[in-house]
Structure formats: structure tokens, C-alpha cells
Amino acid sequence: MSTETTRAHWRTGEFPIHRTGEFRIVDRTVARPRPAPADQAPSLTPSPADLRLDALGHALRVLLSPLDATGLTAWREAVHAALLRLFGAERVALHFPVHPDGAPASVLDDWTAPHLTPDAIAALHAAAQRDDLPADRAPLLRLDFGGADEARVWIEGGAVAAGVPDAHTQQLARTVLPALRAGLATWAQLGARRAALGRLLDTGDGSALLIGARGEVAHESAACRRLLSDETPADAECVRQAAARLALGAHAADRGAARGQPHAPVSTVVRTARHRYELACTRTRSADDRSPLALVTVQRQVPRPLTDDEIRARFGLTPRELEVARLLAEGLTNQELAERLGVSFFTARNHVERLLPKLGAANRACVGGALIGA
């Protein structure tokens, strides 16, 4: 190829091309692909169809993973947000009559409807029970999931006009219906299991708490409620929180055991203003271990009197000081103490004055407590 011919090719951009394997050779130089015109560049903005698929996928993940949420309320709020986005609605109201502990709850506890006042929710619930809902309040989804009552999903505005969803919205509802039923059935089964364990605890005299995987109190036995009833509300809650921390440590230890991490303590002691409690934790497992429970027993430690040997070793008392300490613990006055010991009043008083600092007692009324051990 001559020099003039080559220059002409460079000016026109046309080159003789020879195909060799998968390479395009232009005068023994690999050709570079030309950039696509601006009107053919790929768009970075997702299409409406992609957005709908993304919303559908997100909704299915939320509906099928109730145990990934921190609790039933958190899962229902996530479902509410996912369905609001999926249906493109202005408002969504959910009625999910499920309870993780198997116990009945109030009407408001069955609902997730941020746009409704409590009075409006009560009126809607009453109308739903009578099956005389107006057309614009007809549930889009109504399903039996094995619970005590049917679940319902209402959507308003957006794709729903005058209470009649269009064909596309109805198709979306049919698509998510099995996932919603599965999620609700999971919560219902979890509630039934916890309720059965709770009934088993209540039949005995054991004081215990069932703690879920995220530290929530799934059940508190009747004996435990009685045990903590004479505590202040703040101190009783302190004991429950200590049980939750112990259970969380046990759950974390199970997860970290495979990584060689040390096990968390299985017992602890909690002091309140009035009493001292010993907590001990035992793990229980579900069939798939996605909803583990920890059983935490609560025992009140009853104080016992220290023996003479324990008192002498702890406080370094002489035999006479030990005798004085025992008599003071009975509430004797200095005069009574003198008569019991056969000494003068002043000698008895001197015994008391030397004894109190050794016991760390502020006054004679504190002596009895110093002689009590855990």
C-alpha cells in the first residue's frame, strides 16, 4: 500500500479489513470500536417495568421473612411500607390478628394503619366484623392463615378508584397472596409454640422467663410475676433486663461457638433495693433454629446467718466481741447487755464502741445485717 493511499485512508477513515480469528486487523493494527452515538447510549434510569419488578421482589422478601424483623410490630410496619410502594397507593391498612406470645390483644394491636385515628380503626374493625364495609373499604386481600381470625389488607387511592382495584393491582395482589399467607402462618406457629411453653411454665412453681432471639420477653411465668410483685416497677424491670442480657449472651455464644469464641456466662446475680436474685439461662431450639428461645430461671437468694467461724474470719473478732455482736443483733440495750454479760454498764458500752468499727456498722441497729450472709 503506497504512502498516498494510506494518507487517503486516514483522511476518509476507511481501511481495508482482514479477518483473522476473532480480531479485526487494520493494516496489522487492532481496530478500536467507535463510540455509539449519543442517542444510542444506554439509559441509567430504570424503566417503569424494572421499578415494578424491584418493588415486587422487595415485597416478597419482606413477606417471606417475618423472623428477620425485630418483632411482630416491626414486621407489620415493614409489610405496610412494602405494600404501599408495591401498589402505588396513597394509604394501606393492615389487619393482622396474630400475636407472637399466643395471648389475646386489643383491637388496636391487630392493626397497622398510620393514617387512621384509633376511633376510625375501631369503627372500621366493627364494620369488618359485621361484614358491612362500604365499597371503598373492601379489603383487597382477605385470607385465612390458620389463625384465630382472617387477615385483611385495604389499599386506598392511587391505583384503586372508588374501591375497585384495576386488573394490574389485582394481579399483584394474587402474586403476593401466598407469601403473605406464609409469613402470617409463621407468626401464628411461633405464637402457638411460645404459648404452649408458657402454659407448661405456668403449671409448675418455677419462676422463669422465656426470652426471644432479640431479647424480647416472650413469656413470664405466673410464679415469676408473683416473685417480682413486691419490687418497685423499676427494680422488677431491672431484673427482666438482666435476664434479657443473659439470654442474648447465650444466643450470641451459640453463633460464635463455631468461630472458637468463649462461651458467655450462663448465670448472674442481680441486686435490687430489697432483694438479691440469681438468674440462670438455658437455651431451647426450634425446628429450624430461626426463632430460638432462652429459658432464664429467677431465684431470690434468701439471706442466712453467718456461723461463728465465718464471723471471726471475716471481722477478726475475739470470743467476747463475738458474744457482744450476737447480743446486739438480738436488739439488747447497753444496760441489758451489761446484765447478760455480768459487767458494768460502762464496760458494756465500751465493748459496743470497739465492736461497731470492726463490723463496719454505722450504729447498733446495723449489727444484725452485718451478721447475715448471702
Side-chain angles (χ1 to χ4, degrees):
M1 185 180 298
S2 67
T3 302
E4 292 298 327
T5 303
T6 303
R7 289 174 177 171
H9 289 324
W10 278 109
R11 287 194 299 271
T12 61
E14 298 177 356
F15 294 86
I17 298 173
H18 311 280
R19 296 189 179 276
T20 303
E22 297 182 357
F23 296 92
R24 300 175 64 213
I25 307 300
V26 180
D27 286 347
R28 308 187 68 81
T29 302
V30 179
R32 296 181 179 178
R34 296 180 180 179
D39 57 349
Q40 297 180 9
S43 174
L44 298 179
T45 303
S47 66
D50 291 337
L51 292 175
R52 287 193 295 272
L53 285 175
D54 180 64
L56 177 59
H58 173 70
L60 292 175
R61 286 192 298 271
V62 171
L63 294 174
L64 290 171
S65 307
L67 299 183
D68 290 342
T70 57
L72 176 60
T73 300
W75 179 65
R76 294 196 319 191
E77 290 175 352
V79 170
H80 180 273
L83 296 184
L84 195 67
R85 172 187 171 192
L86 176 64
F87 292 124
E90 297 175 2
R91 295 172 297 276
V92 172
L94 308 177
H95 175 245
F96 289 174
V98 292
H99 311 289
D101 57 358
S106 67
V107 169
L108 293 180
D109 292 331
D110 294 340
W111 281 81
T112 303
H115 65 288
L116 294 178
T117 65
D119 290 342
I121 289 178
L124 180 57
H125 183 78
Q129 296 298 103
R130 298 191 303 269
D131 283 329
D132 60 353
L133 289 164
D136 61 347
R137 288 291 189 178
L140 175 68
L141 297 177
R142 181 171 177 172
L143 68 157
D144 181 7
F145 59 95
D149 196 4
E150 288 183 322
R152 297 177 175 88
V153 176
W154 286 263
I155 70 171
E156 303 170 11
V160 177
V164 181
D166 57 20
H168 175 69
T169 304
Q170 292 177 359
Q171 181 60 42
L172 284 178
R174 286 191 292 269
T175 302
V176 301
L177 183 63
L180 178 58
R181 180 180 287 112
L184 287 167
T186 298
W187 271 111
Q189 292 166 6
L190 177 62
R193 175 173 174 265
R194 291 184 173 183
L197 287 173
R199 288 192 296 271
L200 182 62
L201 287 179
D202 289 337
T203 57
D205 296 330
S207 176
L209 298 163
L210 280 177
I211 309 294
R214 292 174 176 83
E216 74 279 9
V217 177
H219 183 78
E220 181 175 338
S221 71
C224 188
R225 288 193 295 272
R226 290 193 298 269
L227 184 67
L228 299 179
S229 62
D230 63 342
E231 297 283 0
T232 65
D235 282 346
E237 185 60 24
C238 179
V239 175
R240 296 185 182 99
Q241 290 178 1
R245 288 192 296 270
L246 195 64
L248 287 174
H251 293 315
D254 282 352
R255 293 192 297 269
R259 298 190 292 270
Q261 297 176 357
H263 286 283
V266 294
S267 64
T268 188
V269 174
V270 180
R271 288 183 175 88
T272 66
R274 299 178 180 176
H275 301 289
R276 174 186 171 114
Y277 299 90
E278 182 176 1
L279 311 182
C281 180
T282 303
R283 283 264 285 126
T284 67
R285 294 178 179 270
S286 61
D288 59 0
D289 205 32
R290 293 190 64 198
S291 56
L293 291 173
L295 178 67
V296 179
T297 58
V298 182
Q299 291 185 337
R300 182 180 294 169
Q301 294 183 341
V302 180
R304 64 172 180 81
L306 295 174
T307 65
D308 289 349
D309 290 339
E310 288 173 331
I311 293 174
R312 281 195 294 265
R314 179 175 297 186
F315 302 109
L317 303 185
T318 65
R320 172 63 85 178
E321 288 171 338
L322 175 60
E323 185 179 7
V324 172
R326 290 293 193 193
L327 293 176
L328 286 180
E330 295 178 13
L332 270 63
T333 65
N334 286 348
Q335 183 60 47
E336 292 169 336
L337 184 63
E339 295 173 358
R340 185 76 65 89
L341 295 176
V343 298
S344 69
F345 171 85
F346 298 103
T347 302
R349 186 181 64 183
N350 290 337
H351 282 318
V352 173
E353 291 175 351
R354 288 194 301 268
L355 176 65
L356 293 182
K358 284 191 173 184
L359 296 178
N363 51 56
R364 61 196 307 125
C366 300
V367 172
L371 305 185
I372 299 296

